[in-house]
Amino acid sequence: MDERMTPIKIVAMIIALTTLMSCASYRDANTEGYSVINGGFTDQKIMEGLFYIEVQSGTSAISNLNTVEKNWKKRATELCAGEYQEFQYSAVDSQQPFSYNSSNGLGINYYISKAFGYAVCPTYDGNMSEISSLVSGYSTEKEQTFEVYTQFQHQSCVTPIENIKELENTGVVLFKEKSYSKAQEVFLCIYQQDKDQLTQRKSYEILGTMHELGLGVKKDMKQAMFWYQKAGLLPH
């Protein structure tokens, strides 16, 4: 067997070493998006004094639970300007559906460490028992969004979308949650199938907003105007 280092083997080794050294940095994924190497955090204000926070590490061969938990608490402290209470908080290691196998048979599994839950600030005007009903609708919406987005990831944009409006609604939720890269992915796929009819105008309006304000993409007024035209907000 030829054990020489081919270009493909070198690239594979670089990828393996990069992910091996991945960590969980304090990266604001609300504006910068999640990094494959360093992860990041997102947060959503449910109401005054109540925030949903999610922190994840980059893809790594080692657990970064301690770091993501530390970053979750740091973000909660910032949002609440000091003290807070945790609600439905969890921290887990999620094994990824791929691994690296070296030529000598050594196998490496990869993980993403996550910490997620609600931070209840002193400014929250209510009691803890009321929060369950308050966040249940939000949690259900997140679950539905995750389910639709997961199905979307497993299909090609060439394949006709069965429920394009449902996919657009998922993109809108992702945008509101500041998952800009995922939202853009959804909206661009919708445009690919809807560019002749231009029926999903909300998708194109949000794409225009993202380019105008630089949300997850570089500011580009030319692109913003292009999408606003597709949304019917500007004359062609």
Side-chain angles (χ1 to χ4, degrees), residues 53-91:
I53 307 170
E54 187 168 312
V55 181
Q56 73 177 44
S57 69
T59 304
S60 175
I62 59 175
S63 172
N64 284 287
L65 270 183
N66 288 338
T67 304
V68 297
E69 289 195 271
K70 179 180 177 181
N71 288 346
W72 191 96
K73 293 174 181 178
K74 179 178 179 180
R75 186 57 179 163
T77 301
E78 289 178 346
L79 292 171
C80 293
E83 296 182 354
Y84 63 89
Q85 293 186 63
E86 299 171 358
F87 184 78
Q88 293 185 359
Y89 172 83
S90 297

Side-chain angles (χ1 to χ4, degrees), residues 175 180 184 187-188 203-228:
F175 175 76
Y180 298 129
Q184 182 188 34
F187 294 143
L188 289 178
S203 298
Y204 316 137
E205 179 183 350
I206 293 177
L207 283 170
T209 301
M210 290 173 67
H211 283 88
E212 181 182 3
L213 302 180
L215 303 175
V217 297
K218 289 184 178 180
K219 286 187 178 182
D220 188 330
M221 284 306 301
K222 185 176 180 180
Q223 275 295 304
M225 292 178 69
F226 171 83
W227 289 116
Y228 285 146

Side-chain angles (χ1 to χ4, degrees), residues 37 53 113 124 135 148 152 174 180-181 184 209:
I37 296 177
I53 307 170
S113 300
Y124 169 65
V135 304
V148 174
F152 162 73
L174 290 169
Y180 298 129
S181 60
Q184 182 188 34
T209 301

Side-chain angles (χ1 to χ4, degrees), residues 19-54:
T19 53
L20 179 63
M21 295 182 293
S22 295
C23 62
S25 67
Y26 198 66
R27 174 189 178 91
D28 187 351
N30 294 311
T31 55
E32 303 172 13
Y34 282 107
S35 165
V36 175
I37 296 177
N38 296 318
F41 66 82
T42 57
D43 49 72
Q44 179 77 17
K45 184 177 181 179
I46 309 303
M47 63 175 297
E48 184 62 39
L50 181 62
F51 298 88
Y52 178 80
I53 307 170
E54 187 168 312

Side-chain angles (χ1 to χ4, degrees), residues 160-175:
I161 301 172
E162 293 184 5
N163 192 334
I164 197 168
K165 187 62 181 178
E166 181 182 54
L167 185 60
E168 181 180 64
N169 291 338
T170 295
V172 172
V173 173
L174 290 169
F175 175 76

